[in-house]
Amino acid sequence: MKIMITGLCIYFIGTRVDIFNINLSEAFDQPDAVITYLLVLVLMPFNWALEAEKWRMSIPHEASSFQEAWHRVLAGLALNWVIPLTLGDVGGRLLNVRNPKKSAGALLINRTILLSITLLFGGISVLYYFGWYGHWVLVVPLVLIAVVLLMLRNDGKPSIWLRVLVLSVLRYALFTFQFYLILRLFMPELSWHLVLLGIGWVFLFRSFIPSVFGHFGVREASAIVFFQAYLSDVSIVLIPCLIIWLINTVIPSLIGTVYVFKLKLNIAQ
């Protein structure tokens, strides 16, 4: 199923742009390109560090260190390339844990929180795309998040899941900022709010449509669907999508392969 969807996305991209005429050298023709890529690359470890800390915080019963959580998160990211339905992430986090049931429940809550944030901000993009939009909707996510934060407080003190929610919002903001920096290089004529709405749209479809190779194809196809109404040459959006994929998915996945072997070694021992 995932391979078929990825194939359909690539086919769709091919019907909208001439892939073979895309000049990848344009990635370095943009003003301040190298500085921007370096900044996004520097932010990448913080992106995954937030995810690792979020996971460590979610499983206090495991008494896991940040380093262990970091290894498991990146190992799961690497395993996702070969195991379907993001079960690689499940395996990387749950292999050799002391309490699999509690940890599986914590993982389910983690995913639900992040998907809810993605649905919230992506929903605004959907409203905008179909014209059901007013500036009032911009405050809806902030109000809803504030309400949830108040509900998750325990006797006036932040609960574990409140802290997880805060880290999830920070992580969503961070990888949105990374993608925004790169998109602005290639689409400086677009307003900042339109770029942010496009990012929310892309993240929404990337999260809910299954695909292989780290969501390769889905990200690019959804970006074309959203931005084609605002760009004379929509093919330009493919290069920033490819760059953010390489930085935020491919590089940490390659690092994660090292931790996959370490996990296997620990289990064998």
Side-chain angles (χ1 to χ4, degrees):
M1 175 64 76
K2 292 175 71 174
I3 294 175
M4 182 181 71
I5 291 175
T6 300
L8 289 173
C9 287
I10 294 174
Y11 172 77
F12 170 78
I13 293 169
T15 63
R16 294 295 186 273
V17 303
D18 188 350
I19 299 175
F20 297 102
N21 281 337
I22 295 175
N23 185 6
L24 293 179
S25 65
E26 292 181 18
F28 294 95
D29 292 340
Q30 311 301 321
D32 301 321
V34 175
I35 295 175
T36 301
Y37 299 150
L38 286 175
L39 176 58
V40 174
L41 184 62
V42 167
L43 291 174
M44 180 268 289
F46 293 96
N47 180 355
W48 290 105
L50 283 172
E51 181 62 27
E53 176 59 19
K54 187 156 64 80
W55 179 238
R56 185 199 67 80
M57 193 179 294
S58 303
I59 49 172
H61 53 276
E62 295 293 334
S64 178
S65 67
F66 172 80
Q67 185 178 22
E68 290 171 337
W70 171 269
H71 289 179
R72 288 184 176 278
V73 166
L74 292 189
L77 185 65
L79 288 172
N80 272 341
W81 287 71
V82 293
I83 302 177
L85 303 175
T86 66
L87 292 178
D89 181 55
V90 175
R93 299 190 191 214
L94 300 185
L95 278 176
N96 208 30
V97 294
R98 299 184 185 92
N99 193 323
K101 287 186 178 180
K102 277 190 176 182
S103 297
L107 179 58
L108 178 61
I109 295 173
N110 259 283
R111 287 190 171 186
T112 302
I113 289 173
L114 187 56
L115 283 175
S116 298
I117 295 169
T118 304
L119 183 60
L120 192 60
F121 286 98
I124 293 176
S125 301
V126 172
L127 290 175
Y128 182 88
Y129 182 81
F130 289 104
W132 310 323
Y133 177 80
H135 287 92
W136 58 270
V137 301
L138 291 174
V139 302
V140 172
L142 301 177
V143 172
L144 289 177
I145 290 172
V147 170
V148 174
L149 289 174
L150 291 173
M151 291 174 62
L152 288 176
R153 291 180 69 85
N154 184 14
D155 296 329
K157 298 179 181 179
S159 67
I160 288 175
W161 298 116
L162 174 58
R163 295 195 291 268
V164 169
L165 174 62
V166 171
L167 289 179
S168 297
V169 173
L170 287 175
R171 182 167 182 252
Y172 187 92
L174 180 56
F175 57 64
T176 295
F177 180 61
Q178 287 179 285
F179 201 10
Y180 175 84
L181 288 175
I182 297 178
L183 284 173
R184 288 293 289 176
L185 274 180
F186 293 85
M187 303 183 297
E189 70 275 16
L190 297 187
S191 63
W192 65 268
H193 76 276
L194 191 59
V195 175
L196 288 178
L197 286 166
I199 292 171
W201 171 279
V202 171
F203 285 161
L204 178 66
F205 285 91
R206 185 203 65 175
S207 298
F208 286 92
I209 298 178
S211 62
V212 294
F213 308 130
H215 303 288
F216 180 77
V218 173
R219 182 187 294 103
E220 291 74 16
S222 58
I224 287 175
V225 171
F226 186 88
F227 287 112
Q228 62 185 349
Y230 310 103
L231 297 171
S232 57
D233 180 14
V234 75
S235 66
I236 197 67
V237 80
L238 295 180
I239 299 177
C241 287
L242 179 62
I243 292 171
I244 198 67
W245 174 68
L246 288 171
I247 292 176
N248 269 0
T249 303
V250 176
I251 294 176
S253 294
L254 291 174
I255 298 171
T257 57
V258 177
Y259 301 135
V260 169
F261 290 113
K262 286 186 177 182
L263 281 176
K264 288 182 177 179
L265 180 61
N266 291 337
I267 292 171
Q269 289 174 342

